[in-house]
């Protein structure tokens, strides 16, 4: 198969996948029923599950699915969007090359055939894509898009999260993941769960913990309506008590990882029995020993024994006699979760009869059996020593398939939040200064257009833009531009301020005005450094003349609401054209294709001023492909809410620098979107670099290797 | 470590519900379940054509367990009903039929699934709110001080399962028995948190149903020969019991991962046996009268014990261990013995008495406890299949009673709840559509009327499924209850002469009522809410259903229907 065919083939594959996937996208999406060869039925709206269930045979399809699943592993969201982007990108590329081909054919058929055969062009395009992904995308994200970002935190510095903004975020997330009936309920459940588990001091690590141990933190119950799902305090272990002795008050507990009853011989050793009497004595000794261990535990007031292994009958018997409840055969994940929560380490059997205190016990508020639909579980009220307050979700549903769907969606939501709470580093090269000069008039014009409206209200405002800061070499000048930048930030801040319209609650307040109003350079730096630390993105690539400007806690009071704007940390190196900046944790945008339309707009602008034709082409293709998602989202809407109308309004708003008004409530993570776009571009370059697909007699070993490579 | 790759790609179907095949399958399935419904439901015989076991049933639990379905959509319906049944035991057919009806009715109206699902959910909430409210006109409080309503409940469960082949007298006998069994499992002096005991159903096939009986305590079945050997029991009064959960067969215990070297001439077996015999001597000297062992007992130990007039019974099995330890327990903390070492005297339990009993051809050892919540229900029926059905029915009835204790309300049965509910929904959607649509701007009132009509039709045709003999179904215009007329009855006569009582038996036809055919269209009317107390007291036998089970069934049916309506693709993995 030739290279040109490869794009076409990939397009065909992607189009088939798109038709399947697009029925599940967005709030209007529907369910898909999958059956497994084992006879289980699974309900899903999760793109990853869906693609897996198709068991695709086509080599390119399999590669795409592998790319999707590796993306999902990281981000937990966006499989369907992935396919749609990819399909649109391929369509765009295909259209462009078709056109090219025609024109080339007439010119010189011979040489260009060779050219196609060598796949130079594909290689070239894929290289451009990589350049775009690694440099231009970050640059655009940082310089243009970041002004539109909102922050999920109600206070950026302390990273406190208000319930309403989390609700918007989660509702938008579950819209795409759960059946229409249960979206609201599940997102409320998740919200409740989050706020119950969270303490004042806990931050991102709570997501890590829940994400890692999600399987242990939920219980599925079939046969009950979904609305019976609830949250229970404490930890529910998927086991029954081997021995249950009711106890009141605080219960001391120990973890054991080995059998308490001594055995005749351990592995690698030999035990020689010389007479019956010896055998009886040793058996008697074992019995005595077991009894003394259990009595010792009893004397230490231990009431609960959590064991990762099966204990001998004798241990169970003595535990029963001394009133110690026993839970056996806990999985290593459960044990490690308990250890993480309570900070408990396994109990080591005291050698000899040294009656020392056991240091490693934890207190448990309660421990009782929990019966859910005739199945018995162990319910532990662990007292947490970390920031996570243990709670479990009991998920009910009429069929197992639905419960699995909800489990998957909840897990994905935690993955998404985990990503959202991380800062995202953006690294890019700014263009050389002469290029910058060439492009700056454009920007000036652009921003002048944009700022006109502001100027009416605030005539004193200048129209600086971040690009100009980069060029400034004179220190004094620089100091002046700080002010300008700051005022610029303020100006930008007004942009999201009216988007806030869609979230009308809360009080009117303005927390802090930007602090860095100083002409003195030293002062600025002093002021900024602690802030950078607090943002935990302190970039230690110390090019000496670097200037950090941070604007902290810029809370904008919208129409009666506080929706803080994401603050930016701009590291600008004046001596070099290397830029590194970070998108702070918690950046969000309103749902409904806002991110796509914004990026589309700025990419088009970028393409206009691009000099290299390849870059222009690639930017245009990506910009147009981005519109695929909003097109699908607004497909069923009519009249004023139809896609062309929305698009027109948005562009108009951007050109006149008015706020973009979204008809939908809900927020989505920018990090997720960004990661998705990079994953798609990587996948696309992968597809483009293939020139031949060779079908060989399949060997399982080979397949395995290929898979593991993809996963990497 | 090579893993097997799936070979065949999956089969992907879009819009599964629109396909003719799926509709046909659904309607066949609906035919099967709806023909089983109710006291006059038809029985189904399930066999595999290769001989062997034949199951005759009309119960959802047995029917769905044995019926194998292949289509994924039916599969999801079946599992959903099965899950409901395993939670509540009752109302399985109700759930299945309602779900099918909803799907079929909704397909007839031209609305997007999105709208239908949303409105179905609103209607479901309307129903559950009404059924849980004080104003509900179709639920009755249960007073456990009198046996009347609980007995009605049990009787309704029994009569709705015709495959257990009971006559009227037998129904009376069994329902009284079930209620007694249930009462025996309630602890006498419980305060606060009640833990119900356990009833063990002992099979006795080939006997008359009226020979069934319930006994407090535990029956252990035993061959006659062995029973003769154990007798006579010399002592009267409380007996001392030792209950072992460990093996007494003289096996060596786990010796660990390493090796154990035993020189020639050293016999570990005899060492263990010595230990066992020592244990036996201790039991004898402690004046134990009865030794029970979950696992196997060594013959020598048995011999030793019987030589000293100690009764030894082994191989009890793990299922009987929990009730046994409850029966023999004297005080909290006495547990089955798990050690062969010296036994403290506190480990022994006791029973009040011990006797042998013969029921039919079987011999039993009957342990009578001092007090306790364990009882044995000896259940007789003429043949195997009828017995199986009866056993399931009894379990259902006992479970339903437990659920009713938790939530002491019952719903009117015999189709009356369904018709009443349909009338209520019609009335509500006609007169106060805003209250239903209040938090949802996306739907119009017309859409609501369409979907509500489909919903009500589904409920009504569920009630109609109760009638299998070609009779007509009427509903009155005051209470919205269910009335059935025999087939081929003369038309154009006074309805009040033809009809006697409504489906649940609460009202008779002599009240000034007006009737109309259930199938015909009627003006929506407000069915009378707030059931008057005297109305419940007057009628002798009522047909009632468990509230918890029916409410659960209703919710699961609507949720499952919504789930199936929401499907846009079915992907079948054909490996």
């Amino acid at each position: 198969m030739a290279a040109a065919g490869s794009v076409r083939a990939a397009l065909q594959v992607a189009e088939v996948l798109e038709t399947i996937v697009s029925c599940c996208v967005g709030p209007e999406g529907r369910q898909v029923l999958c059956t497994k060869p084992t006879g289980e039925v699974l309900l899903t709206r999760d793109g990853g599950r869906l693609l897996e269930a198709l068991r695709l045979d086509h080599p390119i399809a399999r590669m795409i699915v592998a790319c999707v699943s590796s993306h999902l592993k990281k981000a937990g969201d966006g499989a369907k969007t992935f396919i749609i982007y990819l399909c649109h990108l391929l369509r765009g590329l295909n259209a462009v090359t078709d056109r090219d081909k025609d024109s080339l054919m007439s010119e010189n058929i011979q040489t260009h055939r060779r050219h196609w055969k060598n796949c130079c062009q594909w290689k070239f395009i894929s290289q451009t894509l990589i350049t775009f992904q690694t440099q231009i995308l970050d640059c655009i994200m940082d310089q243009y898009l970041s002004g539109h970002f909102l922050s999920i935190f109600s206070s950026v510095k302390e990273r406190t999260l208000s319930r309403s903004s989390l609700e918007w975020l989660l509702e938008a997330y579950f819209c795409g993941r759960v059946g229409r009936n249960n979206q609201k309920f599940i997102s409320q459940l998740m919200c409740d769960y989050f706020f119950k588990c969270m303490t004042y001091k806990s931050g991102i690590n709570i997501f890590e913990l829940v994400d890692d141990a999600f399987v242990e933190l939920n219980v599925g119950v079939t046969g009950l309506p979904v609305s019976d799902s609830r949250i229970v305090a404490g930890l529910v272990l998927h086991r029954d008590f081997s021995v249950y002795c009711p106890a009141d008050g605080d219960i001391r507990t120990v973890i054991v990882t080995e059998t308490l009853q001594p055995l005749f011989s351990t592995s690698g050793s030999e035990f020689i029995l010389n007479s019956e009497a010896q055998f009886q004595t040793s058996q008697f000794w074992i019995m005595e020993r077991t009894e003394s261990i259990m009595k010792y535990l009893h004397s230490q007031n231990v009431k609960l024994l959590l064991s990762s292994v099966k204990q001998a009958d004798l241990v169970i018997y003595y535990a029963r006699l001394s009133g110690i409840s026993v839970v056996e055969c806990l999985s290593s994940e459960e044990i490690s979760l308990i250890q993480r929560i309570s900070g408990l380490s396994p109990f080591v059997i005291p050698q000899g009869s040294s009656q020392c205190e056991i240091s490693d016990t934890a207190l448990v508020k309660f421990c009782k059996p929990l019966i859910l639909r005739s199945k018995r579980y162990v319910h532990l009220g662990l007292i947490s020593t970390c920031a996570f307050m243990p709670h479990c979700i009991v998920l009910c549903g009429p069929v197992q398939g639905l419960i699995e769907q909800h489990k998957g969606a909840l897990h994905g939501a935690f993955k998404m939040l985990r990503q959202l709470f991380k800062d995202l580093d953006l690294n890019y090269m700014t263009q050389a200064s002469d290029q910058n000069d060439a492009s700056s008039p454009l920007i000036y014009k652009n921003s002048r257009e944009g700022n006109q409206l502001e100027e009416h209200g605030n005539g004193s405002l200048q129209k600086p833009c971040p690009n100009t800061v980069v060029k400034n070499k004179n220190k004094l000048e620089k100091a002046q531009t700080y002010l300008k930048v700051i005022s610029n930030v303020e100006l930008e801040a007004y942009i999201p301020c009216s988007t806030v319209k869609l979230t009308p609650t809360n009080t009117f307040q303005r927390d802090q005005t930007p602090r860095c109003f100083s002409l003195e350079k030293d002062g600025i730096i002093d002021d900024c450094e602690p802030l950078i630390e607090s943002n935990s993105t302190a970039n230690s690539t110390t090019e000496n003349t670097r200037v950090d400007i941070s604007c902290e806690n810029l809370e904008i009071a919208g129409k009666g609401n506080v929706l803080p704007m994401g603050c930016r940390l701009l590291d600008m190196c004046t001596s070099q054209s290397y830029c590194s900046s970070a998108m702070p944790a918690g950046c969000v945008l309103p749902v409904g294709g806002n991110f796509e339309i914004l990026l589309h707009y700025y990419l088009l602008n970028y393409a206009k001023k691009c000099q290299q034709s390849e870059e222009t082409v690639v930017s245009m293709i990506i910009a147009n492909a981005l519109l695929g998602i909003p097109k699908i989202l607004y497909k069923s809407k009519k009249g004023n809410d139809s896609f062309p109308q929305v698009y027109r309004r948005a562009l108009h708003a951007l050109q006149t620098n008015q706020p973009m008004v979204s008809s939908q409530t809900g927020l989505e993570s920018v990090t997720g979107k960004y990661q998705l776009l990079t994953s798609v571009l990587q996948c696309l370059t992968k597809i483009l670099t293939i020139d031949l697909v060779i079908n060989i007699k399949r060997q399982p070993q080979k397949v395995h290797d290929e898979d593991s490579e993809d996963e990497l | 470590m090579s893993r097997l790759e799936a070979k065949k790609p999956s089969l992907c179907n879009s819009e599964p519900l629109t396909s003719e095949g799926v509709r046909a399958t659904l309607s066949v399935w609906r035919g099967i379940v709806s023909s089983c419904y109710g006291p006059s439901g038809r029985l189904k015989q399930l066999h595999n054509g290769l001989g062997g076991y034949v199951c005759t049933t009309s119960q959802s639990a047995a029917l769905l367990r044995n019926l194998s379905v292949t289509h994924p959509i039916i599969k999801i319906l079946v599992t959903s009903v099965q899950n409901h049944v395993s939670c509540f035991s009752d109302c399985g057919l109700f759930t299945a039929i309602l779900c099918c009806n909803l799907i079929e009715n909704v397909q007839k109206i031209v609305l997007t699934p999105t709208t239908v699902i949303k409105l179905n959910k609103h209607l479901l909430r309307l129903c559950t709110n009404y059924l849980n409210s004080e104003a509900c006109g179709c639920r009755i409080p249960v007073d456990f001080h009198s046996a009347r309503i609980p007995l009605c409940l049990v009787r309704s469960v029994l009569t709705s399962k015709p495959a257990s082949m009971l006559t009227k007298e037998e129904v009376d006998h069994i329902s009284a028995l079930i209620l007694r069994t249930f009462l025996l499992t309630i602890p006498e002096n419980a305060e606060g948190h009640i833990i119900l005991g356990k009833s063990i159903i002992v099979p006795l096939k080939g006997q008359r149903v009226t020979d069934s009986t319930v006994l407090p305590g535990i029956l252990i079945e035993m061959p006659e020969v062995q029973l003769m050997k154990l007798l006579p029991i010399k002592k009267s009064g409380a007996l001392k019991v030792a209950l072992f959960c460990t093996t007494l067969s003289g096996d060596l215990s786990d010796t660990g991962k390493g090796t154990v070297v035993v020189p020639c001439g050293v016999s570990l077996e005899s060492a263990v046996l010595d230990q066992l015999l020592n244990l036996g001597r201790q039991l004898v000297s402690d004046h134990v009268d009865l030794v029970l062992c979950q696992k196997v007992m060594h013959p020598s130990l048995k011999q030793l014990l019987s030589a000293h007039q100690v009764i030894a019974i082994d191989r009890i099995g793990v299922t009987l261990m929990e009730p046994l330890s409850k029966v023999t327990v004297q005080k909290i903390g006495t547990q089955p013995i798990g050690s062969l070492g010296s036994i403290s005297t506190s480990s022994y339990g006791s029973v009040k008495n011990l006797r042998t009993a013969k029921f039919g051809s079987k011999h039993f050892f009957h342990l009578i406890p001092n007090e306790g919540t364990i009882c044995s229900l000896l259940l007789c029926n003429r043949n195997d299949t009828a017995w199986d059905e009866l056993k399931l029915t009894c379990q259902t009835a006992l479970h339903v009673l437990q659920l009713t204790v938790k939530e002491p309300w019952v719903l009117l049965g015999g189709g009356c709840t369904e018709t009443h509910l349909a009338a209520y929904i019609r009335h509500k959607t006609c007169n106060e559509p805003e209250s239903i649509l209040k938090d949802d701007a996306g739907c119009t009132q017309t859409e609501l009327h369409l979907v509500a009509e489909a919903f009500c039709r589904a409920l009504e045709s569920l009630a109609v499924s109760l009638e299998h003999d070609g009779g007509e179904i009427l509903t009155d215009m005051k209470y919205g209850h269910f009335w059935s007329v025999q087939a081929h009855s003369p038309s154009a006569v006074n309805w009040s002469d033809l009809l006697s009582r409504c489906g649940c038996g609460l009202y008779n036809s002599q009240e000034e009522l007006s009737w109309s055919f259930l199938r015909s269209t009627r003006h929506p009317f407000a069915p009378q809410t707030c059931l008057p107390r005297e109305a419940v007291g007057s009628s002798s036998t009522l047909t009632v259903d468990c509230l918890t089970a029916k409410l659960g069934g209703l919710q699961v049916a609507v949720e499952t229907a919504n789930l199936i309506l929401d499907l846009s693709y079915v992907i079948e993995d054909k490996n």
Side-chain angles (χ1 to χ4, degrees), chain B residues 169-426:
Chain B
E169 291 74 43
E170 287 167 346
V171 168
D172 287 343
H173 180 76
I174 294 286
S175 44
L177 215 56
I178 288 173
L179 199 60
R180 260 177 56 206
T181 310
F182 177 68
L183 293 176
L184 279 174
T185 61
I186 297 175
E188 269 172 41
N189 41 10
E191 64 263 0
H193 197 66
I194 297 177
I195 299 164
L196 290 180
K198 198 173 173 177
S199 53
I200 302 159
I201 295 181
V202 182
L204 210 57
K205 291 165 192 175
Q207 298 287 306
R208 281 179 304 151
V209 178
T210 42
D211 289 344
S212 306
T213 180
V214 60
L215 298 165
I218 287 179
L219 289 172
I220 302 168
E221 197 188 334
M222 184 163 287
E224 195 181 359
V225 192
Q226 206 180 336
L227 205 62
M228 289 295 119
K229 250 194 255 170
L230 296 173
L231 290 179
I233 304 158
K234 29 110 216 202
K235 211 167 132 185
S236 60
L239 301 168
K240 210 173 196 180
V241 183
L243 179 63
F244 284 91
C245 61
T246 177
T247 174
L248 295 177
S249 65
D251 291 337
L252 287 176
S253 56
D254 182 19
T255 52
K257 279 180 187 137
T259 42
V260 175
V261 181
V262 184
C264 246
V266 176
S267 161
L268 297 185
E269 284 76 17
S270 70
V272 180
L273 189 58
D274 272 354
Q275 210 178 354
L276 277 182
L277 293 179
N278 276 333
L279 177 79
R281 275 178 219 115
Q282 199 203 336
L283 289 173
V284 171
S285 66
D286 283 344
H287 302 290
V288 171
D289 301 297
L290 177 62
V291 177
L292 299 166
C293 179
Q294 180 190 340
K295 295 170 185 170
V296 180
M297 224 186 249
H298 198 281
S300 313
L301 178 62
K302 261 191 186 172
Q303 179 111 43
L304 176 90
L305 291 173
S306 64
H308 292 84
Q309 277 85 42
V310 179
I311 303 165
I313 303 171
D314 62 348
R315 300 171 202 245
I316 290 195
V318 73
T319 44
L320 268 185
M321 279 310 277
E322 203 202 331
L324 258 181
S325 60
K326 270 191 186 163
V327 164
T328 58
V329 151
Q330 265 182 322
K331 54 184 189 297
I332 302 292
T334 317
Q335 300 291 347
I337 302 160
S339 145
L340 300 185
S342 57
I343 301 162
S344 69
T345 45
S346 66
S347 314
Y348 299 126
S350 81
V351 290
K352 190 176 169 194
N353 205 349
L354 185 67
R355 62 185 190 93
T356 54
K358 181 171 184 289
F359 295 100
S361 56
K362 285 183 177 177
H363 293 265
F364 295 96
F365 210 61
H366 184 192
L367 292 177
I368 304 163
N370 292 314
E371 56 179 30
T373 54
I374 306 292
C375 62
S376 303
L377 175 62
L378 269 159
L379 206 55
C380 313
N381 209 341
R382 284 166 288 267
N383 56 40
D384 273 11
T385 49
W387 187 85
D388 287 342
E389 188 78 0
L390 184 61
K391 182 197 171 197
L392 258 179
T393 313
C394 287
Q395 284 172 338
T396 306
L398 285 168
H399 193 189
V400 159
L401 283 171
Q402 287 172 9
L403 292 174
T404 312
V405 166
K406 268 189 216 156
E407 206 173 348
W409 296 91
V410 287
L411 286 175
L412 298 176
C416 288
T417 295
E418 288 84 353
T419 48
H420 178 90
L421 206 55
Y424 175 78
I425 294 170
R426 280 217 181 84

Side-chain angles (χ1 to χ4, degrees), chain A residues 557-568:
Chain A
K559 304 214 165 123
N561 182 25
V562 184
L563 238 190
M565 195 206 90
C567 72
R568 282 195 301 158

Side-chain angles (χ1 to χ4, degrees), chain A residues 646-700:
Chain A
V646 170
Y647 179 62
R648 194 187 52 76
R649 276 204 304 271
L651 279 199
H652 180 72
L654 281 171
Q655 275 156 7
T656 54
N657 222 2
Q658 278 170 343
M660 283 170 70
V661 181
S662 171
S663 58
Q664 283 153 312
T665 57
L667 300 167
E668 57 191 353
S669 157
V670 174
T671 321
K673 288 276 176 191
Y674 170 80
Q675 280 174 343
L676 176 67
L677 195 58
T678 53
S679 303
V680 173
L681 291 177
Q682 274 160 9
C683 178
L684 186 63
T685 50
K686 228 184 204 177
I687 291 173
L688 290 183
T689 43
I690 293 173
D691 74 329
L692 269 181
V693 178
I694 304 170
N695 202 3
I696 53 162
K697 284 268 178 260
R698 273 214 266 167
Q699 290 157 356

